[in-house]
Amino acid sequence: MKPNWMTTLIVAALIGIAGYAALFLAPTERTMGLIQRIFYFHVPSAWAGFVAFFITFIASVAYLLRRAPKWDWLAVSSAEVGVAFFTVVLVTGPIWAKPVWGIWWTWDARLTSTFVLWVLYLSYLLLRTLVADAERRAVVSAVFGIFAFLDVPLVYMSIRWWRTQHPQPVIAGGSGSGLDPQMWRVFLTCWAALLGVLIVMLRQRYQLESLRHTVEEMTVEAERRNADLERIPSTQAVR
Amino acid sequence: MPNLTRAATIILGKELRTEFRTRELLSTTIVFVLMVVVLFSFTFDPSASESRRFGPGLLWIAFLFAGSLMLHPSFMREQANDTLAGLRLAPIEPFAILTGKILANFLFLLLAELLLLPVFAVLYDVRLTPVQGRLLPVMLVLILGTLGLTTVGTVFSAVASQARMRELLLPLLLLPVLTPVLIASAEATSGLLADPPELPRTWLAFLVAFDVVFLTATWLFGEYLLEE
């Protein structure tokens, strides 16, 4: 495996800067106070997660059209990284909500749709563990990956019409919304740092998947040769 | 296109014949939904007004669960005698096979729903009929919701049939993807059964959009599931 030391170091430094910026450089929010600083990791994680799921979608379509295994590796790597990011979102959310809303969780539109999204991609990962043959696994999970991604806007819209309590988007959320310029700079730093994390994890996971593929091919080949050996009667005699 | 229609009709006919010779699917589905409806009243013991409020949601949850059980044999039955290979060898588009199966499942589930709706109305004291113009929109919600459910469900039945633990896997794949259908259908139904009833235009449009999105996705990508 090629070591990605340079990228990893840069991203680690970026995360350090982003953490410092979020904790010390960003101004304290007027009503929510310190706990609002979790926003600098909560929202960028969600954005990074969406990017990851979008990559899964593109890779799934590309796999069905081109049939190169590398697209399947990219799809699964990206889905796994996306699930990791959304786990961060689902953990940091309640930590923020408890002091601000007074409850850990509420069945609000954003929360519910994020939860559904997370379950959707968990079932994608589960599906992959249950198909033995590599090519069939790639095909069926590509189709499911496409269906899951098409479902995302529908889930989001249906739950939003159903009810909402989550703070309205502060970024591009219409009149009365908006961030302090300093908050913006910190926010974008964190967003860049988490995109860096996305890239590092995606690369690492992709290489792991390609190694797994090699092992799988070798195992199949070894089993085939083994079976061939047993079929030759003379081996009995030689032994 | 005429070839596609003809092939899909033949597949549909085959599915209908298989079902009406055994009547396995319909009977199990109906009994299952009845059980869910009865169990619900045991566990929550709702008053008359409560049951009218929860009713539509409960009904759609029962339909959704019934669908995720009923759609399962759609491709599994083909595996027992490897008849899917025969279908695959036939000189028809793969999409025709899926369309025929989607239509058959749609008809089965819709029929079960139509038989269950009056029972449900009696048990939960919901008036369905006499008010002018109510039955037609209710039918429309049933049709659109069921079409969305069976389209995704049939495709996922083909997905699950190629995996281990199929029986568990299908509901697992299906239920999160069908969340929008559940919300839209339940909201539309409760709007129609409310007093005074209101026509849920947004939700109907939403169901149409859902059906169109996933029928198109099936048309574009469904055939990959049928290759060997």
Side-chain angles (χ1 to χ4, degrees):
Chain A
M1 196 185 287
K2 284 169 282 169
N4 301 320
W5 289 117
M6 256 337 264
T7 340
T8 313
L9 278 179
I10 293 171
V11 169
L14 252 177
I15 278 288
I17 295 168
Y20 179 77
L23 289 177
F24 299 107
L25 298 184
T28 306
E29 210 271 343
R30 200 181 301 147
T31 47
M32 290 181 254
L34 286 178
I35 191 69
Q36 183 267 343
R37 290 173 194 275
I38 213 167
F39 157 86
Y40 298 109
F41 282 90
H42 177 72
V43 179
S45 294
W47 287 13
F50 274 124
V51 171
F53 290 155
F54 183 63
I55 295 175
T56 301
F57 169 68
I58 297 294
S60 301
V61 174
Y63 178 80
L64 288 182
L65 299 180
R66 297 257 179 273
R67 289 314 169 88
K70 62 174 183 184
W71 290 114
D72 182 51
W73 306 342
L74 183 60
V76 59
S77 314
S78 200
E80 228 174 88
V81 173
V83 167
F85 272 115
F86 269 98
T87 311
V88 171
V89 175
L90 286 174
V91 171
T92 51
I95 296 176
W96 172 87
K98 182 66 183 167
V100 176
W101 288 342
I103 35 169
W104 295 108
W105 182 268
T106 167
W107 292 103
D108 147 83
R110 289 261 188 131
L111 279 70
T112 314
S113 43
T114 308
F115 191 65
V116 173
L117 188 65
W118 187 70
V119 173
L120 208 57
Y121 280 87
L122 271 188
S123 47
Y124 171 88
L125 294 177
L126 263 174
L127 167 66
R128 298 193 57 102
T129 63
L130 295 173
V131 188
D133 178 65
E135 208 192 327
R136 289 323 297 163
R137 177 173 62 226
V139 171
V140 295
S141 54
V143 173
F144 184 74
I146 292 168
F147 271 61
F149 189 77
L150 292 177
D151 203 42
V152 172
L154 294 167
V155 168
Y156 183 77
M157 278 189 330
S158 65
I159 299 182
R160 198 165 85 154
W161 286 338
W162 180 54
R163 59 161 59 149
T164 194
Q165 181 185 349
H166 190 276
Q168 283 311 301
V170 282
I171 294 157
S175 63
S177 70
L179 276 181
D180 171 84
Q182 175 68 6
M183 285 181 169
W184 250 120
R185 280 189 288 275
V186 174
F187 178 80
L188 288 179
T189 314
C190 292
W191 166 226
L194 287 184
L195 273 187
V197 174
L198 170 71
I199 291 166
V200 167
M201 293 210 293
L202 197 56
R203 249 175 94 169
Q204 208 67 25
R205 182 65 183 79
Y206 178 85
Q207 283 171 359
L208 175 65
E209 191 64 25
S210 94
L211 283 177
R212 271 191 195 160
H213 181 77
T214 319
V215 170
E216 210 167 302
E217 273 186 341
M218 286 163 87
T219 319
V220 171
E221 177 66 16
E223 271 166 11
R224 194 184 58 79
R225 289 197 192 173
N226 219 5
D228 280 356
L229 267 181
E230 274 165 17
R231 224 175 289 136
I232 302 170
S234 59
T235 46
Q236 205 67 32
V238 170
R239 221 185 279 152
Chain B
M1 208 57 187
N3 279 337
L4 178 74
T5 323
R6 195 163 160 268
T9 320
I10 293 172
I11 302 280
L12 171 65
K14 160 200 160 296
E15 296 285 324
L16 292 181
R17 261 199 310 283
T18 323
E19 173 55 24
F20 284 105
R21 281 189 190 151
T22 56
R23 282 182 221 94
E24 295 166 338
L25 276 182
L26 272 177
S27 48
T28 43
T29 308
I30 289 172
V31 176
F32 177 78
V33 173
L34 279 179
M35 279 314 298
V36 173
V37 170
V38 172
L39 287 180
F40 181 81
S41 77
F42 282 153
T43 42
F44 293 99
D45 194 14
S47 68
S49 65
E50 276 173 345
S51 65
R52 236 174 275 170
R53 195 171 99 68
F54 294 136
L58 158 74
L59 190 68
W60 276 99
I61 286 197
F63 288 163
L64 202 63
F65 284 173
S68 69
L69 291 177
M70 163 186 235
L71 291 164
H72 180 250
S74 191
F75 277 88
M76 215 58 60
R77 255 202 308 233
E78 305 283 0
Q79 284 191 330
N81 295 316
D82 211 7
T83 42
L84 196 59
L87 285 180
R88 241 188 248 120
L89 287 173
I92 53 173
E93 284 175 61
F95 182 57
I97 302 176
L98 281 169
T99 315
K101 280 185 178 289
I102 289 172
L103 281 177
N105 289 330
F106 168 72
L107 289 179
F108 295 151
L109 194 56
L110 193 68
L111 187 59
E113 289 170 0
L114 288 180
L115 292 173
L116 285 162
L117 206 58
V119 181
F120 169 76
V122 169
L123 289 178
Y124 282 90
D125 190 24
V126 178
R127 259 170 293 127
L128 287 174
T129 32
V131 184
Q132 181 68 40
R134 240 196 233 182
L135 199 60
L136 201 67
V138 170
M139 280 300 297
L140 200 60
V141 174
L142 275 186
I143 288 172
L144 290 173
T146 311
L147 185 61
L149 203 166
T150 41
T151 305
V152 180
T154 310
V155 172
F156 285 6
S157 162
V159 168
S161 71
Q162 304 185 25
R164 276 173 283 131
M165 306 252 287
R166 305 162 181 134
E167 294 80 1
L168 282 174
L169 187 59
L170 181 60
L172 206 70
L173 299 177
L174 200 52
L175 297 181
V177 175
L178 288 179
T179 327
V181 172
L182 176 69
I183 294 176
S185 313
E187 288 290 309
T189 313
S190 61
L192 286 171
L193 299 184
D195 203 22
E198 47 179 318
L199 189 66
R201 283 175 202 284
T202 342
W203 291 118
L204 284 177
F206 182 85
L207 283 173
V208 172
F210 186 95
D211 295 357
V212 169
V213 165
F214 284 105
L215 277 172
T216 315
T218 308
W219 175 59
L220 287 174
F221 302 108
E223 59 181 288
Y224 296 106
L225 293 172
L226 297 177
E227 62 195 26
E228 184 70 328

